[in-house]
Amino acid sequence: MGNLCGCLAPKPVNKRKATKRLANANNTAATVSSNSSNRWTRIRSSRKEKFVDDALIQEQALAAAATIILQQQHNGSLPFDRSASLRYPNSKKNQLPRSSSSRARSLTDPLLQPQQLVNQDIKLDDLETSHFVLIHGGGFGAWCWYKTMALLEEGGFKVSAIDLTGSGIHTFDTNSITSLSQYVKPLNDFLEKLAEDEKVILVGHDFGGTCISHAMESFPSKISKAIFVAAAMLTNGQSTLDMFTKQAGSNDLMRQAQKFLYANGNDHPPTAIDLDKSSLRDLLFNQSPAKDVALASVSMRPIPFAPVLEKLSLTDMKYGSVRRFYIETPEDNAISSTLQESMINSSPPERVFRVKGADHSPFFSKPQALHKLLVEISKIPST
């Protein structure tokens, strides 16, 4: 919910064998030329293959995003469940990627091809649940999880990404949202329809942290674990506004990016917060690939203001019974490391993880590293 902070501001060398000199200089030149040509051909071929691989990765990513939109349009406002579109259903070849934190990676932490993924011997049947439910942050939509969804599904996990009210392709007018319960209704409806003995792992990003907290209080028996990714993790009686007041006045990027919307007139409270598109990269995507910034710039929607003001009612018996985990993003320009630490200290989760080099949107900037942590958390047994 970092994109809401600003609303708080006042206004290894092989030795080469020696080659014998050939008597015929012309033949020598011809041979050298031929060898050089062959090497250049191999180099060009290698470059071409790399280009094809990169293009294929991008094509697959775009196809995944398009599938999300088509499926949700078909189902109306129902949450998107891609469990039916697993590429390798019931296959023993499902593999998961190595952690990007164990070696240097490129800035964009690119997705790997399935055949490149390393088997971590995940036995899904041994897990309490292999179903992830991904909840976007303020202004985002289910579309932002396309890399995470693809990686999890390659490993055999079931994944559902949900558009909250007035977000993504959900058709409701953001300015008309008057409560947090109205905003999170698609998530609550999804959890309510789960089988009685079915549990899920909730993952919330940004303002999605507040939303999964609300769901944890309402449906604790259906949530195995809750993972907060650069997210608002509140305590009882706090609103998202209360928490982010702690960094008011210290986030110039946020103040420059925010734009209040007054659908009911300037003499009434704001109904939503929009973000200046030209500020998105610096604020939310400072370590993310340009293509993902472009995707966000045409996909993000205003953030409803009323849910930001609402104070949460959280109890130890319900909310407190769900195992919580936090994933920090140290290069975050929207929710500072200081604020993340403050939330963690105020309401300590079971464990804290960190995605090195991640900005506020690790599903774009460090998808492999984020994926590994999600899988690792899913494997943590009950204590």
Side-chain angles (χ1 to χ4, degrees):
M1 166 50 226
N3 41 356
L4 297 174
C5 310
C7 67
L8 317 172
K11 205 41 180 172
V13 171
N14 295 328
K15 294 183 178 180
R16 297 181 59 185
K17 296 181 180 180
T19 34
K20 295 181 180 180
R21 184 181 299 274
L22 299 182
N24 191 317
N26 291 332
N27 289 341
T28 300
T31 301
V32 171
S33 175
S34 177
N35 289 338
S36 176
S37 177
N38 288 337
R39 286 195 299 272
W40 178 239
T41 298
R42 289 194 296 271
I43 292 173
R44 286 187 299 176
S45 177
S46 176
R47 291 177 177 174
K48 182 177 181 180
E49 290 173 358
K50 182 179 184 303
F51 175 80
V52 171
D53 287 344
D54 290 345
L56 180 57
I57 291 172
Q58 183 173 356
E59 181 179 337
Q60 290 176 335
L62 292 175
T67 302
I68 294 176
I69 295 174
L70 291 175
Q71 180 71 24
Q72 290 186 316
Q73 288 175 336
H74 176 71
N75 292 334
S77 61
L78 292 178
F80 175 57
D81 183 347
R82 294 193 54 193
S83 60
S85 64
L86 294 179
R87 294 172 179 81
Y88 303 101
N90 303 320
S91 171
K92 296 183 179 180
K93 296 182 179 180
N94 288 333
Q95 299 174 332
L96 299 173
R98 300 179 70 91
S99 168
S100 63
S101 61
S102 63
R103 55 188 171 85
R105 299 193 63 84
S106 67
L107 178 66
T108 57
D109 190 40
L111 289 174
L112 300 179
Q113 292 294 320
Q115 63 269 20
Q116 294 176 280
L117 302 180
V118 178
N119 192 351
Q120 291 186 344
D121 297 324
I122 302 298
K123 297 181 180 180
L124 298 181
D125 292 340
D126 293 341
L127 303 178
E128 182 178 16
T129 180
S130 58
H131 187 177
F132 281 91
V133 177
L134 311 178
I135 305 302
H136 62 80
F140 292 81
W143 52 266
C144 73
W145 296 105
Y146 78 94
K147 293 181 181 180
T148 300
M149 296 175 70
L151 288 169
L152 287 171
E153 289 186 347
E154 293 292 354
F157 288 92
K158 181 178 181 179
V159 188
S160 301
I162 298 175
D163 275 327
L164 299 178
T165 304
S167 305
I169 64 170
H170 193 288
T171 58
F172 198 84
D173 180 12
T174 304
N175 291 290
S176 299
I177 298 174
T178 59
S179 67
L180 181 59
S181 59
Q182 182 183 14
Y183 182 59
V184 302
K185 188 177 185 302
L187 172 58
N188 288 342
D189 290 346
F190 177 87
L191 294 173
E192 191 171 20
K193 293 175 182 178
L194 290 175
E196 186 175 349
D197 59 346
E198 184 177 0
K199 289 191 174 187
V200 299
I201 299 175
L202 281 186
V203 181
H205 169 251
D206 188 80
F207 187 35
T210 300
C211 300
I212 67 173
S213 294
H214 185 278
M216 291 159 67
E217 181 67 24
S218 301
F219 304 93
S221 64
K222 295 187 177 183
I223 304 169
S224 171
K225 300 180 178 75
I227 306 175
F228 294 76
V229 181
M233 187 170 64
L234 310 181
T235 57
N236 179 47
Q238 276 188 321
S239 69
T240 306
L241 183 61
D242 294 335
M243 176 55 68
F244 287 96
T245 298
K246 295 183 178 182
Q247 74 173 15
S250 64
N251 196 327
D252 291 334
L253 282 175
M254 182 61 65
R255 290 199 298 272
Q256 295 169 8
Q258 70 179 13
K259 295 186 296 183
F260 288 94
L261 303 181
Y262 297 84
N264 298 325
N266 292 336
D267 55 340
H268 290 80
T271 53
I273 305 170
D274 204 359
L275 295 176
D276 179 29
K277 304 304 181 184
S278 65
S279 301
L280 292 181
R281 175 183 287 280
D282 291 338
L283 181 64
L284 307 176
F285 313 114
N286 49 296
Q287 300 294 317
S288 298
K291 61 185 177 184
D292 290 325
V293 180
L295 172 62
S297 68
V298 298
S299 303
M300 293 191 72
R301 296 176 60 180
I303 308 155
F305 194 60
V308 179
L309 304 176
E310 191 169 326
K311 297 183 182 295
L312 287 180
S313 177
L314 306 175
T315 63
D316 291 338
M317 182 178 297
K318 295 181 179 181
Y319 170 85
S321 68
V322 181
R323 303 172 68 188
R324 288 180 294 120
F325 303 84
Y326 200 96
I327 298 180
E328 296 180 300
T329 49
E331 302 301 321
D332 198 323
N333 286 341
I335 301 183
S336 67
S337 294
T338 300
L339 182 54
Q340 292 183 45
E341 290 291 345
S342 175
M343 290 186 288
I344 291 169
N345 293 332
S346 297
S347 181
E350 184 174 322
R351 288 181 62 179
V352 175
F353 301 83
R354 172 175 291 190
V355 182
K356 183 178 180 180
D359 57 21
H360 186 62
S361 307
F363 37 74
F364 287 160
S365 60
K366 292 292 179 181
Q368 291 284 345
L370 174 62
H371 166 71
K372 180 180 182 292
L373 289 183
L374 294 180
V375 173
E376 182 177 343
I377 293 172
S378 74
K379 296 190 298 179
I380 298 176
S382 300
T383 53

